[in-house]
Amino acid sequence: MGVGPASGGRGGVREWGLGVGPVSWVGGAGAAVSRCLCSRGIYCTESIDIMKAIILAAGYGTRFNRDLQHDTSGDFKHLCGIPKPLLPVGNKALISHWMAAIEKINFIDAVYVITNDLYYVKFEDWAKEFRLVKLLNDGTRTNEERLGAITCLQLAITQFNINDHVLVLGGDTLFYEDFSLSDVLAQFTELQSTDCDSSLVLAYQCKDEETTKFGILEIDENFKVIAFKEKPSPTETTSRRACPCFYIYSKNTIPLIANFLQEKQNSLLEEKDAPGNFLCWVQSRKPVFVHHVSGRFDVGNLPSYIDCIKYFQKHGDAK
């Protein structure tokens, strides 16, 4: 996972195109500014002064812990009791790779990590070295008590009175080494210059047999999301664009999370747990676009964790 050069928030100008005239993205000491030359020949400026990041880390890692209990090699015994975001990947915790990238983006001024009461103390110890991090305890201690990812997201928004654009990350996800957070944020800035309602999500190509494991995005010719299917069979969709837990929601989209939860208040927990369910709901109400990446690691079980650490041993630590 990498952060590109000045395209993030440390200064410099980068040119991007969206088929609507010249667009420039300016990264200064405090803000990202996009300027779009509209059809009237007037520059419309949208300034991203502040963005928040929310890392979802309130899961209990039931599959991962089950795998640890059944592992006969003894190589991973020391990982028992460690929440997935704090698992070592290379020379740091998985979640610390995200912090290394986020700290290079000037206009992200706070990172809210929501966890549970069982692991809260462990996250407190981890957070001591990060100035931007603020922790939130969801109050649960077992997987059966969990609130669900979307409810946790709203809990953070309410608790910290968030009214800015929000980068939402899954705490157990990493991307391949060619991923650039600053490039993704630059594309979001560009989208904001044409429609301040726009949000941005990621997608990568998966195999036919993998569609049943992931949320799958269907898009139009402008890379706008037109449908989201949760773990469809390969015959249910021609798309193979898997959508990881990485979303940049515009500040105009954030209030709709509460509306979604109100509408789903009597629904099963599963409908409020998978973060993609909100994306599925909101894409028909606000524009959502796709940024393609080469791949990701979702540390859901022991084999996927082993794949992740082997990858970073070979390619080096995330930048």
Side-chain angles (χ1 to χ4, degrees):
M1 187 178 71
V3 174
S7 57
R10 293 287 182 188
V13 177
R14 186 162 186 171
E15 296 297 325
W16 300 84
L18 197 63
V20 290
V23 177
S24 64
W25 178 82
V26 183
V33 180
S34 61
R35 298 185 302 162
C36 173
L37 185 60
C38 69
S39 58
R40 294 176 295 161
I42 300 172
Y43 275 107
C44 303
T45 302
E46 171 68 22
S47 176
I48 300 181
D49 295 311
I50 297 175
M51 179 180 286
K52 304 294 192 270
I54 297 176
I55 301 180
L56 301 172
Y60 287 89
T62 51
R63 285 182 298 150
F64 186 82
N65 287 317
R66 191 184 309 123
D67 288 350
L68 289 179
Q69 291 168 8
H70 294 133
D71 177 55
T72 56
S73 72
D75 295 337
F76 303 99
K77 222 179 261 188
H78 62 289
L79 300 179
C80 290
I82 299 177
K84 290 190 296 180
L86 297 183
L87 290 171
V89 176
N91 64 357
K92 55 175 74 79
L94 189 159
I95 193 175
S96 296
H97 290 285
W98 280 115
M99 290 306 304
I102 289 170
E103 286 178 335
K104 296 176 181 176
I105 309 298
N106 275 0
F107 55 85
I108 297 181
D109 71 341
V111 180
Y112 303 113
V113 179
I114 182 161
T115 185
N116 54 57
D117 193 53
L118 182 65
Y119 292 135
Y120 185 78
V121 172
K122 293 182 184 297
F123 278 95
E124 271 191 320
D125 290 339
W126 164 81
K128 289 174 183 176
E129 64 179 286
F130 299 106
R131 176 183 59 83
L132 294 180
V133 170
K134 297 179 181 179
L135 295 179
L136 180 59
N137 187 340
D138 76 355
T140 69
R141 290 193 62 83
T142 67
N143 188 58
E144 291 70 31
E145 293 177 316
R146 72 188 188 280
L147 304 180
I150 306 172
T151 302
C152 284
L153 178 57
Q154 181 59 37
L155 187 63
I157 290 166
T158 302
Q159 178 71 25
F160 297 107
N161 192 27
I162 298 173
N163 299 300
D164 303 306
H165 305 305
V166 176
L167 166 61
V168 181
L169 302 169
D172 57 0
T173 297
L174 280 179
F175 297 103
Y176 294 173
E177 88 286 351
D178 59 349
F179 173 78
S180 171
L181 177 59
S182 52
D183 283 353
V184 179
L185 291 170
Q187 184 178 349
F188 175 73
T189 304
E190 179 187 340
L191 289 169
Q192 285 288 299
S193 72
T194 58
D195 187 343
C196 58
D197 283 346
S198 294
S199 295
L200 184 66
V201 300
L202 299 187
Y204 65 93
Q205 201 73 11
C206 71
K207 299 175 183 177
D208 289 352
E209 62 271 21
E210 293 177 326
T211 61
T212 55
K213 300 177 182 178
F214 307 125
I216 302 296
L217 297 171
E218 295 180 352
I219 64 174
D220 65 15
E221 65 277 6
N222 296 313
F223 296 95
K224 181 182 177 183
V225 177
I226 56 174
F228 176 92
K229 297 183 182 296
E230 182 65 34
K231 300 179 179 178
S233 71
T235 58
E236 288 180 69
T237 178
T238 58
S239 175
R240 298 297 180 262
R241 293 181 176 88
C243 182
C245 186
F246 180 108
Y247 320 102
I248 305 178
Y249 286 127
S250 69
K251 58 187 175 184
N252 293 340
T253 299
I254 292 300
L256 296 185
I257 298 173
N259 296 354
F260 169 84
L261 290 171
Q262 178 66 29
E263 186 177 301
K264 303 290 183 180
Q265 62 178 329
N266 297 319
S267 301
L268 296 173
L269 173 63
E270 286 70 21
E271 291 198 41
K272 294 172 279 189
D273 195 9
N277 287 340
F278 174 69
L279 172 57
C280 179
W281 182 88
V282 82
Q283 59 85 22
S284 63
R285 294 165 171 84
K286 296 284 186 183
V288 180
F289 292 86
V290 166
H291 179 99
H292 284 280
V293 296
S294 59
R296 62 96 178 241
F297 292 101
D298 176 13
V299 182
N301 53 32
L302 184 56
S304 62
Y305 173 65
I306 294 172
D307 287 343
C308 183
I309 58 177
K310 284 181 177 178
Y311 180 90
F312 284 105
Q313 285 172 352
K314 179 180 179 180
H315 294 275
D317 285 324
K319 297 184 180 71

